[in-house]
Amino acid sequence: MAGTIDIQKIQVEHVTIRSGKDFDVVRSNLESIVPRIDDGIFTLLRYREAARALRELEALPALSIFGFRDHGAAVQVAGLQRQAIQYDIGNPLTATKMTRHRISAGLYAPIRVLLREDGDGVAFEYDRPISTFGQFADPEVDEVARMLDKDLQAVLESAAS
């Protein structure tokens, strides 16, 4: 028998940043501005090398790409031709600044960002961190989420322009 199930409605702010540039140019811009995270950090943590991992985390840029999924390729099974890549973007140290207060904040870290091209052109889409993390009503989490909002919007606008 299952335990108690709680359901809460939250209001999420969705952001779309449009670009007049070609999909491949915007993708290249993003991937040059936001580097892939070095998986060695997670190896250090797995082997309990927390002090060394912390030093390496502190040296990271504000945002890194954790991974990506090519949704455009996936919709080919439906006979469609689309360009759409979903990125996981964040910073492990930033995430721990929130999860140390509310472990449930880990549900939204890293942030999912979609770069897509369709009839409306090329655009980034994501849900504002302050609105997703805001459900926890924790001032410490909100403060970090506001900075994450600012950093994420800045890099995406830069990649789109």
Side-chain angles (χ1 to χ4, degrees), residues 7 14 24 47 50 57 61 70 79 85 95 104 117 128 157:
I7 298 174
H14 187 75
D24 290 327
Y47 288 103
L57 286 169
D70 189 339
I85 299 174
S104 296
E117 180 178 51
R128 281 190 68 212
E157 284 181 345

Side-chain angles (χ1 to χ4, degrees), residues 16 20 23 26 29 39 45 47 49 74 84-85 91 106 108 112 115 117 123 134 139 145 152:
T16 302
F23 181 91
V26 176
N29 288 349
D39 290 337
L45 292 170
Y47 288 103
E49 295 283 338
I85 299 174
N91 180 303
Y108 300 102
R112 287 185 173 182
L115 170 60
E117 180 178 51
L152 185 59

Side-chain angles (χ1 to χ4, degrees), residues 9-10 12 28 51-52 62 74 77 79 87 97 140 142 149 157:
K9 283 187 179 185
I10 63 169
V12 175
S28 179
R52 185 171 163 204
V77 299
Y87 292 93
K97 289 178 183 177
E140 302 283 345
D142 290 348
D149 266 351
E157 284 181 345

Side-chain angles (χ1 to χ4, degrees), residues 83-156:
Q83 294 197 84
I85 299 174
Q86 180 189 69
Y87 292 93
D88 295 326
I89 298 177
N91 180 303
L93 200 51
T94 300
T96 62
K97 289 178 183 177
M98 292 185 279
T99 56
R100 72 178 61 164
H101 300 287
R102 293 297 302 258
I103 194 67
S104 296
L107 178 62
Y108 300 102
I111 306 299
R112 287 185 173 182
V113 174
L114 182 70
L115 170 60
R116 54 105 174 133
E117 180 178 51
D118 59 18
D120 293 335
V122 175
F124 287 110
E125 293 188 54
Y126 65 97
D127 295 334
R128 281 190 68 212
I130 191 62
S131 67
T132 55
F133 292 110
Q135 69 181 290
F136 303 115
D138 186 304
E140 302 283 345
V141 173
D142 290 348
E143 181 180 335
V144 177
R146 273 191 282 284
M147 182 54 76
L148 186 54
D149 266 351
K150 181 180 158 196
D151 290 344
L152 185 59
Q153 184 175 339
V155 299
L156 297 178

Side-chain angles (χ1 to χ4, degrees), residues 42-53:
F42 302 112
T43 302
L44 290 173
L45 292 170
R46 196 169 25 258
Y47 288 103
R48 308 253 185 249
E49 295 283 338
R52 185 171 163 204

Side-chain angles (χ1 to χ4, degrees), residues 56-70:
E56 292 193 23
L57 286 169
E58 290 173 335
L60 287 176
L63 297 171
S64 296
I65 296 172
F66 282 65
F68 63 91
R69 284 162 292 289
D70 189 339

Side-chain angles (χ1 to χ4, degrees), residues 70-84:
D70 189 339
H71 283 282
V75 298
Q76 289 179 30
V77 299
L80 301 172
Q81 295 294 318
R82 298 280 191 277
Q83 294 197 84

